[in-house]
Each structure stands twice: as structure tokens, then as C-alpha cells.
Amino acid sequence: MEKSKQKEKIIACVLVAFSLVYCFGCLQLKVGHLSNPGAGLLPWLIGILLLLFTSINFYTAFKPREAPREANHQGETLPPNYRASLGIAVCVVVYPFLLMNLKFLLTTAIVLFFMLLCLKYKKVLGSLLISIAVSVISFLIFSILLGVSFPGGVLEDLILSLW
Amino acid sequence: MDILHNLMMGFTVVLTPINMFYVILGSVFGTITGILPGLGPLGAMAILLSFTLYMDATGAMILFAGIYFGAMYGGSTTSILLNIPGEAASVVTCIDGYQMARKGRAGAALTVSAVGSFVAGTIAIIGLMLFATTLSSFALQFGPPEFFAVGLCGLIILVRLSGESMVKSIIMVLFGMAVATVGVDLVSGVERFSFGIYELGQGIDLLPVAMGMFGIGEVLWASEEKEAQTKVINVRMRELFPTRTEWKRSTGPMLRGSVLGFAIGLIPGPSHVISTFVSYMVEKKISNHPEEFGKGAIEGVAGPESANNAAVGGAYVPLLALGVPFTPALAVVLGALLLHGITPGPNLIKQQPQLFWGMIASMYIGNFVLVILNLPLVKVFVAILKVPQKLLLPLIVVLCLIGVYSLSSSYMDLMVLAVFGLIGYVIRESGFDSAPLILALVLGPMIETALRQSLKITHGDIGAMIFRPICMSLYLMVVLFFVAPYAMKMFKKKNSLAA
């Protein structure tokens, strides 16, 4: 309970910060006149309203509340697996950077392998084989069947030449 | 006669091998996404959005219609057999559907649910055909002030209906509109919020945002939960037939649910979910056996299951007639149309008759396919739940990553996907609903253009923008929508005090 309240406070702070940054960005835009509105009219309106409502949310999040009754722990669900969600989040964030350098096949295989390990689907060898198979199959489907051009290197060229 | 002639033309469009393949693919895929908890029609459409680039616009619409209807069918299966709603619109079905299954009437519940969905789907398609064509002719009179009013009122009603807190829903709408303002302003050519980054100057696309919020966000959320073993109630083929009494008790709820669902589908927001709750309450109120509700009343399955299917048909009306999507899933459908260079609006039915009537005809066929598929193959579909989540989740992530990259080979899109995936995951735990953000992102540019054009036309006279017959009616409707519940509460309080 304490954790989720903490999270709510952090989100409220981030939202207010976002509104301020957005309003700051609006300063560079011309509002124009009502009869000839400029590019900044709607952003200004959005910015002001955003600041107002994120401030209300901020106040609500930080307002002291009555402590809720202790939850009944009988029949409670299993503890959440944060390790898996963190692992997947890291994979999604690093994917574009890896793709630029390692190209499609290697990047997709590495990312999928790491996610399978985080979720403990199979042992290392099983996960590795699945990752390689999925990345090769998806490369063939998207690249050859659908004509998508992925960043390619030696491995991609090799598969294309074999095909 | 005109409608019949056009419908026949629609059937000739659909009855080609490739389009029939899309009907069946959409129906099967939709059923699967309805069965799998967490991945609703919106997530499925968002994931498949990039694939629609490789088909024609009609094919894409046929596929998406199949997914949308299929998800409504699929959601009921797990609700009845497992007490797990695969989709938000099937939560209500759990109440009586699962109780029926425990009493050995799972087959009857599944059949009534499938037949109810078919009846509702058919009624909704007829409604869609008639309403969309009429409304689009009427909407030809719309100018920028009317489009501004439609967009604004849609967002305001959405705020009222979605999420647990109105302030949070408003923040999400404003956040979505803020994201929509990123990029070059098409009227003045001024760059807005791009911070000198060339790719941001092009604006932020719907696809990476939708796939991030509903694909990656859902996966991150689902990966936190440890997998639980599911215990399925067995159904034999001979048990699928309801008794005569069960049929008799279901007919009324099916028809009422269809009409209610279609009407609620015209309202912005999660109409397919709301329609099930409303239908359940109505059936309970008018039933001769209200005490049976919650203990396995067949009306509690027939009504809501019909309502959610009919709501899907209703929700298509504003999109096809006005070009304004009122549900997040239809925002993705709009995205698919825009990817093909088609801007829906009052002229769509006249300019793209093959697309419109082809889609309508595909809905008829899709509904039929869904009944045929869902009843005999119920065991096969339920077996999908046995595919380990630990394998499914990474595959969905890879599909999202590849799908987003394949759209425009942009690394920036992948970064946007990652950012919105994290946002979708974080905000969900704090009671923020992602749906208003997506709708605001889609409606934002339309609202801005309409507002600026309206102000120019009226020389900055806001009164002239509001006091036009159609605009005024829309604004009054919104005011009534907000005031009515409070007025009714006060009226009830006064009555009880007087008594």
C-alpha cells in the first residue's frame, strides 16, 4: 500500500514537471489573434489546462489520507515478478541502439534470449534455440515475404544468399 | 433498393479468396485475443496495424472488423468455462455464465452466448448500414464548427465514462492532445516541441504510441504476474443444446441487449463494456426470476453477450459517417485507413463504396463464421490458454518491435514505442486509463484544425461558433449528460425524504 502511494506521488511529480516543460515550450509559439489563430493557440490552452489538472492530481496524491485497514492476507495472490518486467523493459529500451550496431538477426536473437531467460521459460540451451529460430523465421517472413528492409550485415546477407 | 444493391456489391467484394481469408483470419485471431486475458481487440489491432500496410484498405478493414467481433465472442468462452474474463466486456458474463457451467449447463451458456452474439451482430450491422448512410448524408452539412463540436463533445463524454477518476482521465486526454501537437504545424510551418530533432518534426505516429501503451505496456504488466494453472470445465458436443425453456428465456434478453448495445455503441468511450453492465441491470430488473441472477440465470448471459456485440456495430457508425472514432480500438482502425491514404468522413461511403459495403458484407459473413467456429471448436480455443505465458509475452514484444520498425524503418519510432510502453505500464498501476490518451492523439489534430478554421470563418466570434443549431444541440447534450445523474440523485433524495 505504502509502495503504491509512493508511486502515485512520483507520477504526480513527473506529470507536473511535464506540464511545466510543455508550457515552457509554448513560450516560443505565437498565439495569434482569435480571428487569425497562430500555431501556439491550442498548445497554450492545453498547457494551461494540463498544469491546472496535474496540480490538482499532485495535491490529491500528497494529501494525507486515512490509513486503510490491514488487508486480509488469506488467499493473497503470488508476489509480482518485477525481475521479469524489468528485464523486458530493458530489452525494449536497448533494442533500437543494438539494432543500429548489431543489425537485425543478432539483436532480435539476443533480446528474445534475454527476455526468455528473465521469464525462466526454458533452460539456457532451449531459450537460445528458440531465440535463433524466431529471429531467422521473422527475418524471412518480414524481409522476403513482406519486403521490409532491416539493417543487415554478414549474417543477413548469408541467409539471403542461402534463400 | 439502393442499400440492397450496394450490399450485393459488398458481397462480391468479400467473396474473393483473399478477402475471405482475411475474414476467417480476423475471426480466428479475434477469438484468440478475446480468450487470452490481457490482450484485447485493441492490443491485437495495434500489433497488427503495421501488417495492414501489406494489404489493401478493404482487406485491412475486413481483418479488423473480424478481430473486433471475434474478441467479443472469444471473451465469453473463458468467462463461462474458467471464470476468467478474457476481455473487459466479458466480466459480466462470468457472474452467471460460470455458475451455469458449475451446474453442468456450460454448453447451453456457450450456445446462447454465441447465438446471442450472432443475432446482436446481425441487428447491429443492419443498424450500422442504415444509420451510417443517413448520418453521413446529414454530416455533409457539417462545417469546421460542427466538427470541432463533435470532437470536443466526444472527448468530454469519454472523460466522464472512462477511468476511476475524472481528473486522471482529463490529464490523459490533455497528455494525448499535447503529444498530437508535436511536429511541424501544417498551417504555419512552425516546428512545435521537436527540440531540433528532425524525426520529431515529422510528428509522433499513432502506431508506436498505441503499440507501446497496449502491446508493450500490457506485456510488462502481465509479466509481473506468476502463471496460475487453469482448470477448464469440460463440455461435450451433446451438451451444447439449450432446453426449450432456456431458449424461451433467452430470446427477449438477446433482442433487448442488441438494441441497447447498438444505442450505447454510439456513445464515446468503452461502450462495449458499459453495454454489458446496462444490459445485465435491465434484465435483472425486468426478470420474473431476479433471485436467480448471480446463481446461473441464462438471461444474465444472453443479454450482456448480445449487448457487447451490438455495441461494436454501433461504434462503427461515428467513424464511418463522420470520421470520428469514439473507441480506442476504432482509433486504430482510423490509423489503418490513414496509412492507406483514406480519410474517413461524410464522403467515405460515396467515394469508397467498395470499402464500406465490403466491410459491411464481411461483418455478416464474419458473424456466421464466428458461430460456426466457436461452438464446435470451443475445446481447441480453450487449449490456447495452455500456451505458456512465458513464451507468449516475449514473442508479442518481438512482434511489436519488428512491426513498429517495419512501418517506416525509423529508430525514433522504436524509441517512442519504448517510452510509451513504459508510460503505459507505470500509469496503469496508478489508476490512469490509457484509452483517452489514444483517442485524444487521434482526435487532437482534427480538433485543432477545426478550431482554427472555425475561428477564421467567424472572425474570432466564439459565440457564432457555439450558437449554430447542430453545435448547440451537441453542447446541450453534453451538459445534460453531466447534469442528469446529479439531478436524478437529487430527485430520488427528495422523493425518499417526502416519503
Side-chain angles (χ1 to χ4, degrees):
Chain A
M1 196 67 206
E2 199 50 46
K3 246 184 181 176
S4 73
K5 224 175 146 187
Q6 198 71 25
K7 216 174 188 178
E8 213 177 319
K9 285 179 183 173
I10 296 169
I11 291 173
C13 292
V14 173
L15 283 171
V16 172
F18 173 80
S19 319
L20 288 170
V21 171
Y22 190 80
C23 286
F24 182 73
C26 290
L27 289 175
Q28 298 162 358
L29 301 171
K30 284 182 184 161
V31 180
H33 305 285
L34 268 183
S35 54
N36 188 21
L41 178 73
L42 193 73
W44 260 112
L45 283 173
I46 294 170
I48 292 164
L49 288 172
L50 203 52
L51 197 56
L52 175 72
F53 283 101
T54 51
S55 305
I56 295 171
N57 184 53
F58 181 84
Y59 170 75
T60 319
F62 279 87
K63 194 172 73 175
R65 270 176 279 185
E66 211 176 293
R69 275 189 216 162
E70 202 59 39
N72 185 2
H73 287 278
Q74 268 185 350
E76 209 168 277
T77 48
L78 291 159
N81 185 6
Y82 288 121
R83 201 183 84 138
S85 49
L86 183 71
I88 294 173
V90 169
C91 287
V92 176
V93 172
V94 300
Y95 188 83
F97 302 101
L98 287 180
L99 192 64
M100 280 179 219
N101 300 303
L102 299 179
K103 311 305 170 197
F104 178 78
L105 279 172
L106 214 50
T107 304
T108 309
I110 290 171
V111 162
L112 185 56
F113 175 65
F114 187 70
M115 284 192 285
L116 288 169
L117 282 188
C118 287
L119 286 160
K120 293 182 185 161
Y121 173 56
K122 289 243 155 109
K123 289 197 175 146
V124 177
L125 188 65
S127 300
L128 189 68
L129 289 175
I130 290 171
S131 316
I132 294 169
V134 169
S135 46
V136 171
I137 292 168
S138 54
F139 178 73
L140 290 175
I141 292 173
F142 279 88
S143 193
I144 294 167
L145 229 65
L146 300 175
V148 178
S149 87
F150 289 117
V154 183
L155 284 173
E156 287 77 7
D157 290 343
L158 184 73
I159 286 186
L160 285 176
S161 65
L162 284 174
W163 189 259
Chain B
M1 274 316 278
D2 224 23
I3 285 181
L4 273 180
H5 176 256
N6 284 326
L7 194 59
M8 290 314 292
M9 186 255 290
F11 277 106
T12 56
V13 172
V14 183
L15 292 171
T16 57
I18 187 72
N19 284 338
M20 277 307 292
F21 171 71
Y22 291 143
V23 172
I24 294 168
L25 184 72
S27 304
V28 172
F29 199 72
T31 307
I32 293 171
T33 55
I35 284 171
L36 291 171
L39 192 72
L42 177 60
M45 286 182 189
I47 292 167
L48 287 182
L49 188 55
S50 56
F51 287 87
T52 61
L53 274 176
Y54 307 102
M55 42 181 92
D56 64 344
T58 312
M61 290 305 102
I62 289 171
L63 181 77
F64 278 179
I67 291 174
Y68 210 175
F69 276 101
M72 298 300 126
Y73 272 77
S76 61
T77 308
T78 46
S79 293
I80 293 165
L81 296 181
L82 301 160
N83 201 22
I84 300 171
E87 229 273 304
S90 303
V91 172
V92 174
T93 312
C94 284
I95 304 170
D96 283 290
Y98 188 64
Q99 290 304 323
M100 279 184 74
R102 286 183 64 185
K103 288 177 183 169
R105 300 303 300 147
L110 285 169
T111 305
V112 163
S113 152
V115 173
S117 300
F118 176 74
V119 170
T122 312
I123 290 174
I125 298 162
I126 295 168
L128 168 63
M129 244 161 46
L130 301 174
F131 266 73
T133 43
T134 316
L135 187 61
S136 68
S137 317
F138 176 65
L140 285 171
Q141 303 165 31
F142 282 23
E146 281 77 15
F147 276 108
F148 174 71
V150 169
L152 188 67
C153 293
L155 286 182
I156 294 172
I157 294 175
L158 179 73
V159 160
R160 178 83 177 84
L161 292 177
S162 57
E164 55 188 53
S165 144
M166 210 193 287
V167 171
K168 285 178 178 172
S169 294
I170 293 172
I171 291 173
M172 292 312 280
V173 163
L174 292 168
F175 185 39
M177 290 193 73
V179 174
T181 57
V182 174
V184 175
D185 171 40
L186 292 176
V187 180
S188 59
V190 175
E191 275 204 22
R192 302 190 293 193
F193 311 103
S194 55
F195 309 107
I197 301 167
Y198 170 75
E199 284 91 344
L200 278 182
Q202 313 289 308
I204 293 177
D205 269 332
L206 168 72
L207 180 72
V209 176
M211 278 172 107
M213 301 282 281
F214 294 100
I216 304 292
E218 285 294 336
V219 166
L220 289 174
W221 179 262
S223 66
E224 267 186 13
E225 290 165 10
K226 297 244 169 92
E227 225 165 328
Q229 280 292 320
T230 45
K231 215 176 172 186
V232 184
I233 291 174
N234 229 352
V235 189
R236 291 192 196 105
M237 272 304 274
R238 62 167 184 265
E239 289 170 358
L240 283 172
F241 300 101
T243 60
R244 191 177 282 187
T245 323
E246 282 169 335
W247 275 127
K248 218 173 156 186
R249 284 177 59 175
S250 312
T251 316
M254 277 181 200
L255 297 173
R256 278 189 293 275
S258 307
V259 176
L260 254 174
F262 183 78
I264 295 171
L266 299 168
I267 301 168
S271 49
H272 58 300
V273 183
I274 296 166
S275 66
T276 56
F277 285 94
V278 175
S279 166
Y280 190 81
M281 284 192 301
V282 168
E283 292 310 325
K284 195 176 176 182
K285 210 160 198 179
I286 62 170
S287 171
N288 293 327
H289 327 272
E291 72 287 348
E292 281 182 28
F293 276 73
K295 293 171 193 159
I298 201 155
E299 294 92 334
V301 176
E305 276 305 315
S306 308
N308 66 21
N309 259 60
V312 172
Y316 264 98
V317 174
L319 174 71
L320 296 174
L322 307 172
V324 182
F326 277 172
T327 70
L330 289 177
V332 179
V333 174
L334 175 74
L337 281 172
L338 294 175
L339 277 179
H340 285 90
I342 296 168
T343 313
N347 288 316
L348 177 89
I349 300 172
K350 274 188 186 157
Q351 287 171 353
Q352 303 280 345
Q354 291 212 325
L355 185 140
F356 177 79
W357 292 103
M359 194 181 68
I360 296 278
S362 84
M363 286 176 175
Y364 278 111
I365 297 172
N367 254 298
F368 192 65
V369 167
L370 279 165
V371 174
I372 295 173
L373 276 179
N374 269 264
L375 288 176
L377 298 181
V378 69
K379 277 188 184 172
V380 178
F381 282 121
V382 171
I384 289 161
L385 281 170
K386 288 177 185 157
V387 175
Q389 214 179 15
K390 290 171 180 174
L391 175 65
L392 206 61
L393 297 180
L395 292 180
I396 292 173
V397 173
V398 169
L399 206 62
C400 288
L401 290 166
I402 300 174
V404 163
Y405 183 81
S406 63
L407 184 70
S408 50
S409 304
S410 157
Y411 293 109
M412 180 55 80
D413 280 351
L414 284 172
M415 290 175 203
V416 171
L417 172 87
V419 169
F420 278 91
L422 293 177
I423 291 174
Y425 165 65
V426 173
I427 61 169
R428 189 179 151 158
E429 259 190 274
S430 304
F432 286 92
D433 187 3
S434 309
L437 187 149
I438 298 291
L439 273 185
L441 178 62
V442 174
L443 292 178
M446 184 204 95
I447 290 177
E448 183 176 17
T449 311
L451 171 69
R452 285 165 76 175
Q453 285 175 345
S454 307
L455 286 172
K456 272 190 178 171
I457 293 168
T458 58
H459 304 290
D461 184 357
I462 294 172
M465 260 177 74
I466 297 171
F467 298 108
R468 293 160 71 100
I470 297 170
C471 299
M472 197 62 203
S473 319
L474 284 167
Y475 293 128
L476 276 176
M477 257 167 58
V478 170
V479 172
L480 267 176
F481 189 77
F482 270 81
V483 174
Y486 297 105
M488 270 166 70
K489 240 185 205 173
M490 274 175 65
F491 183 71
K492 267 187 185 169
K493 218 178 179 180
K494 239 183 182 177
N495 269 2
S496 63
L497 275 174

